[in-house]
Amino acid sequence: PTALLVLGIQQILVDQEMIGKISAAGQLMQCSALLDVLFLLDGSYSIGKGSFERSKHFAGKLCDALDIHPDRVRVGMIQFSSTPHLEFPLDSYLTKQEVKERIKRTVFRGGSTETGRALKYILHKGFPGGRNSSVPEVLIIISDGKSQGSTAMPAMQVKDRHITVFAVGIKFPRWQELHTLASEPPERHLLFAGDADDAANGLYSTLSDSVCTATAPGCKVESHPCERRTLETVKELAGSYACWKGSKQPNAVQASLCPFIRWKRVLIKHPSRCFRTVCPDPCDSQPCQNGGTCVPEGLDRYHCLCLLGYGGDVHCAAKLSLECSVDLLFLMDSSAGVTLEGFLRFKAFLKRFLQAVVGQDSPMSVGVAQYDDEVKIPIGLGQHKDTFSLMRSIDALNFSGGRTLTGRALQYIAQHGFRSTPVFADVQDDLPRVVVLLTDSKSQDSVAEAAKYAKDQNLFLVGVGSGFMRAELTTVTGNPQQTIVYSDPQDLFNRIPELQRKICSVGNPEGCQAQSLDLAFAVDASSGVGLENFVHLRRFVRSSCLHFVINRDLTQIALVIYGSKAHTVFALDTHTSNSAVLQAIDQVPFLGDSASAGSALLHVYSEVMTVQKGARPGVSKVVVLLTSGGGVQDAATPAQQLRHNGVLVFMVVIGDAERDTLLRVAGSPNYLMHISSYEDLQYYQGLIIERICEEARSPVNLCKPNPCMNQGVCILGPGSYRCQCHGWEGPHCETRVLRGDSPRSPALPPPSHVQWSPRALQHFSRALQHSKRQ
């Protein structure tokens, strides 16, 4: 009956969530008290070697629920079969680890099941190595309950001596006999070894009422219906067959019917109650907000599964926040060209965006207009002060279905959309004004003049639409960076973070405008990428550079291309303006051989991100690796070297690649971006630049990378550093110490007396590079 082995021999009849709570509590509870515990393990042939090993494992798990110590819980063990055998007395091992190791080494003996004889041994010898009778004694019998003789009398005598007896079933136990062995009430002293966590909970739950002292706050013992099963072999009358019984007459045979018996194995059910400790679930307080699902991890930890747009913290707070005060008006296309389906999609997008980014602390200066032939403003700017009423008003918007007159709508909004009354009469309402145009239908009137008029009224325009609307939306916004296009309905919702960034970039162009940054791009130019896709990568690097102010004091950019070997196209200190960098990127050649991302990162480590090559001490450093995923197997070690040297490695992978390998290179999922196609790369540019700028704002270690040349040692000071030189001198150990009367370099103060601020270091580094070139 292999199939029967999968059936639970003890089953607590509660929901799965409660089973999880019981199991979690069983793993974390521990009984701490003055207590002598003796295990009585069945080592007979009816148990067998396999089940005996499971009994040993179970005994070890129960030890985890006991605070084993010479002054608290002591543990001993007897194995019984034909005769009882003392494995170790209670005073042999004084720590939990020692007891568990000794249990593991116990050898199966085999023999008949003489449970009664084992109990008489305990009545005669007591608890070997135990303390005086004032210490509570607990006997834990682990057996299948199939004893060769009667156990009723010795079991009663053991219990009369005030020994608490737990009967634990193993294999397919005979529960009636275990019931006889267990202390009263039996339902609180019967356990099943097949589920060790549950049994540990049951042991603790029973002992906690009388002996154990360490109960976690809020935990309580509860009664649950449960069912125990016994696998029994029974006789069954299968029918009758003709048999010959002989005859008194010598020449005659008498036929008769004989019964046909067959043996059958059946599960007999024993309904009962199980008492288990249940502790407050960390999810009971419903910590996950905004429709998140709480998943418990033990008694004190949990994690939240958050809906799209949430996950800003562990409790599913809004993932985004406007983080900027603006007057925000959405202009929704409600014409026949966008269709009812498109209109409803924009409504759903609008609701999800506002739920995600407009929290309690965000400004609620939001309005919604819709247009076709006419323009209506059903939700005036700042009309709603809470998200719930705003959502209700958005739900009430209806599709109209006229002509698509986007130009006229923009003109109307510029004139009438932002007539809001100041909150206080003496406070001028001068917040930036942002219009988000949601359209999927080509305009039937001109948009260029209307868009120019809107911008003249100091409106900041953002366009959102599907791919074929890109040109018209760029005409409306005047800037491709203020245009968002999506490929399919789900992709529209994925654009929520991008829209949030564009709304808040009004007056603050994206990029690390006020942060110093040394940024290197390492671009895969191998045959695995191909010439056409390499052009996409080159275009991506070019447009990314537009987001930074490139000069000696703010952003320095280097470019490395690689195939089997890496080449520096230009170093960090080569170009000092955006125009020079863009012109150099346009000249980057395609290599076309095999790819080795490892050699590229090693090249960046030794030839790009060094003080000698223009890297500035005290400035954040980032490498963006753009790759098809080929040749990254050798990149983990140099990536780790870069990180150890204070350089962030941000990995952008296009196409299929093994994620585990990529994670080893990136070091963290936060610094890995996996994109399905080269065409989609442009859509992730804002997010990539945002991550880079987060790094630019993080604190730096002035000694990473080491600014000291010629094996000099960098020593940090408060807000500065100094170089300890050997055979060299100067702030960066750049000048060799000359002997005798030879002419010396211009004298500089000894390194031990020089401390440099980051700003001074930048100027010094520039002067040093200038002198080297001359």
Side-chain angles (χ1 to χ4, degrees):
T2 307
L4 292 174
L5 293 174
V6 302
L7 297 172
I9 303 302
Q10 173 179 279
Q11 186 176 10
I12 299 181
L13 306 175
V14 291
D15 58 52
Q16 198 58 42
E17 183 182 352
M18 182 61 71
I19 294 291
K21 288 186 179 185
I22 290 170
S23 179
Q27 293 175 49
L28 298 177
M29 297 285 175
Q30 191 171 77
C31 181
S32 183
L34 198 63
L35 190 63
D36 283 350
V37 175
L38 181 63
F39 286 106
L40 189 59
L41 259 66
D42 187 343
S44 66
Y45 290 132
S46 67
I47 284 285
K49 198 169 188 305
S51 291
F52 183 74
E53 290 300 318
R54 283 193 286 275
S55 297
K56 284 163 52 180
H57 170 73
F58 172 74
K61 291 288 285 186
L62 284 195
C63 286
D64 289 332
L66 302 171
D67 184 13
I68 298 174
H69 186 275
D71 299 327
R72 293 185 288 278
V73 181
R74 293 187 183 181
V75 173
M77 191 168 82
I78 293 173
Q79 181 183 173
F80 73 94
S81 52
S82 304
T83 57
H85 173 79
L86 177 63
E87 296 291 347
F88 59 92
L90 284 92
D91 55 1
S92 292
Y93 302 104
L94 306 179
T95 68
K96 184 178 298 187
Q97 194 57 38
E98 289 175 347
V99 171
K100 291 178 70 173
E101 285 297 325
R102 178 60 182 82
I103 291 172
K104 279 184 185 176
R105 296 199 305 270
T106 303
V107 178
F108 175 67
R109 293 182 173 273
S112 58
T113 314
E114 299 288 349
T115 312
R117 181 177 292 181
L119 293 175
K120 288 173 184 175
Y121 176 89
I122 292 169
L123 288 169
H124 178 63
K125 299 278 190 180
F127 273 34
R131 288 164 282 191
N132 58 45
S133 57
S134 64
V135 176
E137 295 177 325
V138 174
L139 179 64
I140 302 177
I141 305 171
I142 307 176
S143 171
D144 61 1
K146 296 171 183 176
S147 179
Q148 249 52 61
S150 173
T151 59
M153 183 57 69
M156 186 178 67
Q157 290 171 332
V158 167
K159 289 180 274 190
D160 286 345
R161 290 198 183 179
H162 304 292
I163 297 173
T164 303
V165 182
F166 285 89
V168 182
I170 189 76
K171 208 172 179 181
F172 290 99
R174 188 174 291 155
W175 289 105
Q176 298 96 319
E177 184 170 320
L178 295 178
H179 198 281
T180 304
L181 294 174
S183 291
E184 294 290 335
E187 58 269 18
R188 300 204 65 162
H189 295 85
L190 278 177
L191 304 171
F192 178 58
D195 189 341
D197 291 332
D198 173 77
N201 186 310
L203 175 74
Y204 176 88
S205 301
T206 300
L207 293 179
S208 63
D209 286 350
S210 56
V211 180
C212 303
T213 55
T215 303
C219 296
K220 60 181 183 295
V221 179
E222 293 182 356
S223 167
H224 306 286
C226 65
E227 183 178 86
R228 299 186 178 96
R229 299 167 185 172
T230 301
L231 187 65
E232 293 284 3
T233 304
V234 297
K235 288 195 296 185
E236 182 179 67
L237 180 63
S240 300
Y241 66 96
C243 61
W244 312 107
K245 289 201 171 183
S247 174
K248 293 177 183 179
Q249 300 175 10
N251 297 323
V253 177
Q254 183 179 348
S256 180
L257 289 177
C258 298
F260 175 61
I261 304 294
R262 102 179 135 195
W263 296 90
K264 183 179 179 183
R265 304 186 83 182
V266 295
L267 282 170
I268 299 173
K269 299 177 181 179
H270 304 273
S272 184
R273 306 288 299 179
C274 288
F275 291 81
R276 300 292 183 264
T277 298
V278 179
C279 298
D281 192 309
C283 291
D284 288 345
S285 59
Q286 298 181 331
C288 303
Q289 306 163 11
N290 301 309
T293 302
C294 183
V295 180
E297 297 173 352
L299 290 181
D300 55 353
R301 294 198 307 271
Y302 63 90
H303 68 272
C304 294
L305 299 176
C306 305
L307 298 176
L308 180 67
Y310 299 97
D313 63 14
V314 295
H315 298 120
C316 300
K319 184 181 291 185
L320 310 165
S321 169
L322 279 178
E323 294 175 351
C324 54
S325 295
V326 294
D327 284 341
L328 178 59
L329 184 68
F330 288 89
L331 179 58
M332 289 175 60
D333 187 345
S334 181
S335 67
V338 80
T339 72
L340 174 60
E341 181 185 0
F343 177 76
L344 293 176
R345 185 185 308 135
F346 281 139
K347 263 178 67 169
F349 171 76
L350 181 56
K351 284 181 64 177
R352 193 174 293 183
F353 175 82
L354 293 174
Q355 286 170 334
V357 305
V358 181
Q360 293 179 344
D361 302 326
S362 300
M364 283 298 296
S365 187
V366 176
V368 180
Q370 62 182 98
Y371 73 94
D372 50 3
D373 299 274
E374 305 294 330
V375 185
K376 294 181 288 187
I377 307 179
I379 303 173
L381 202 68
Q383 176 181 330
H384 295 288
K385 300 302 177 189
D386 65 90
T387 311
F388 180 74
S389 61
L390 179 61
M391 294 300 116
R392 202 163 51 188
S393 294
I394 293 172
D395 283 333
L397 298 178
N398 291 315
F399 179 64
S400 45
R403 290 182 299 159
T404 311
L405 300 182
T406 308
R408 180 176 178 178
L410 288 168
Q411 181 102 11
Y412 182 89
I413 289 300
Q415 294 171 342
H416 307 288
F418 290 89
R419 289 184 173 179
S420 56
T421 305
V423 179
F424 302 105
D426 58 343
V427 176
Q428 183 65 33
D429 185 4
D430 58 353
L431 293 177
R433 296 174 169 184
V434 181
V435 175
V436 178
L437 172 64
L438 301 169
T439 179
D440 257 346
S441 175
K442 292 285 181 71
S443 179
Q444 294 171 261
D445 64 349
S446 172
V447 296
E449 286 300 317
K452 183 178 183 304
Y453 175 77
K455 286 173 217 165
D456 290 343
Q457 308 305 308
N458 291 322
L459 299 188
F460 181 78
L461 302 177
V462 178
V464 179
S466 51
F468 75 93
M469 292 294 298
R470 185 191 298 274
E472 184 171 302
L473 290 174
T474 303
T475 302
V476 170
T477 62
N479 184 348
Q481 298 301 322
Q482 290 163 225
T483 300
I484 298 174
V485 296
Y486 63 93
S487 55
D488 55 60
Q490 183 54 49
D491 190 42
L492 171 62
F493 293 98
N494 295 339
R495 303 290 173 195
I496 287 175
E498 188 179 352
L499 178 57
Q500 178 262 344
R501 286 194 304 275
K502 294 194 185 306
I503 290 171
C504 283
S505 69
V506 54
N508 298 298
E510 291 181 5
C512 318
Q513 299 290 347
Q515 303 293 328
S516 295
L517 178 68
D518 285 345
L519 173 62
F521 289 95
V523 181
D524 189 344
S526 69
S527 55
V529 171
L531 177 59
E532 184 179 346
N533 292 329
F534 176 73
V535 172
H536 280 291
L537 295 180
R538 192 170 63 187
R539 188 182 301 137
F540 173 81
V541 173
R542 190 182 197 284
S543 62
S544 296
C545 291
L546 293 170
H547 292 270
F548 301 94
V549 176
I550 299 172
N551 60 43
R552 294 286 187 226
D553 294 317
L554 288 175
T555 302
Q556 291 189 149
I557 291 182
L559 177 58
V560 171
I561 58 172
Y562 71 91
S564 58
K565 294 181 180 178
H567 307 273
T568 302
V569 178
F570 51 84
L572 289 167
D573 59 352
T574 303
H575 299 299
T576 58
S577 69
N578 287 67
S579 58
V581 167
L582 298 179
Q583 190 173 355
I585 292 172
D586 290 338
Q587 308 304 316
V588 176
F590 175 64
L591 300 177
D593 55 358
S594 60
S596 171
S599 66
L601 293 180
L602 198 59
H603 182 85
V604 171
Y605 174 79
S606 58
E607 300 294 332
V608 177
M609 287 296 180
T610 65
V611 171
Q612 295 90 326
K613 299 291 183 180
R616 295 165 293 175
V619 172
S620 296
K621 292 168 177 57
V622 179
V623 179
V624 178
L625 177 67
L626 294 163
T627 174
S628 64
V632 298
Q633 293 79 6
D634 62 346
T637 300
Q640 184 57 41
Q641 286 179 294
L642 282 163
R643 282 191 289 273
H644 181 71
N645 227 22
V647 182
L648 171 73
V649 178
F650 191 90
M651 200 171 181
V652 181
V653 183
I654 304 97
D656 297 328
E658 188 180 335
R659 185 168 175 81
D660 288 345
T661 305
L662 302 179
L663 278 173
R664 282 197 295 274
V665 180
S668 163
N670 296 331
Y671 303 127
L672 172 62
M673 186 162 292
H674 209 154
I675 300 170
S676 58
S677 69
Y678 288 87
E679 290 75 15
D680 288 347
L681 186 58
Q682 57 183 321
Y683 304 134
Y684 293 86
Q685 185 177 65
L687 186 56
I688 293 168
I689 289 170
E690 181 184 26
R691 296 271 178 85
I692 293 170
C693 294
E694 284 175 6
E695 183 63 21
R697 289 190 286 272
S698 64
V700 293
N701 182 337
L702 292 170
C703 284
K704 287 189 176 182
N706 184 5
C708 308
M709 304 181 209
N710 303 307
Q711 286 77 50
V713 178
C714 180
I715 300 173
L716 276 175
S720 60
Y721 69 88
R722 64 186 179 86
C723 289
Q724 184 173 310
C725 309
H726 303 283
W728 299 77
E729 61 185 5
H732 293 91
C733 308
E734 69 277 6
T735 306
R736 184 183 291 278
V737 175
L738 299 176
R739 305 291 180 188
D741 297 325
S742 301
R744 295 169 60 89
S745 301
L748 286 166
S752 59
H753 300 296
V754 179
Q755 291 197 327
W756 298 79
S757 70
R759 177 68 65 179
L761 286 167
Q762 291 177 20
H763 289 295
F764 179 83
S765 179
R766 291 201 297 275
L768 180 64
Q769 297 301 318
H770 180 70
S771 65
K772 284 169 62 181
R773 283 194 292 272
Q774 287 185 335

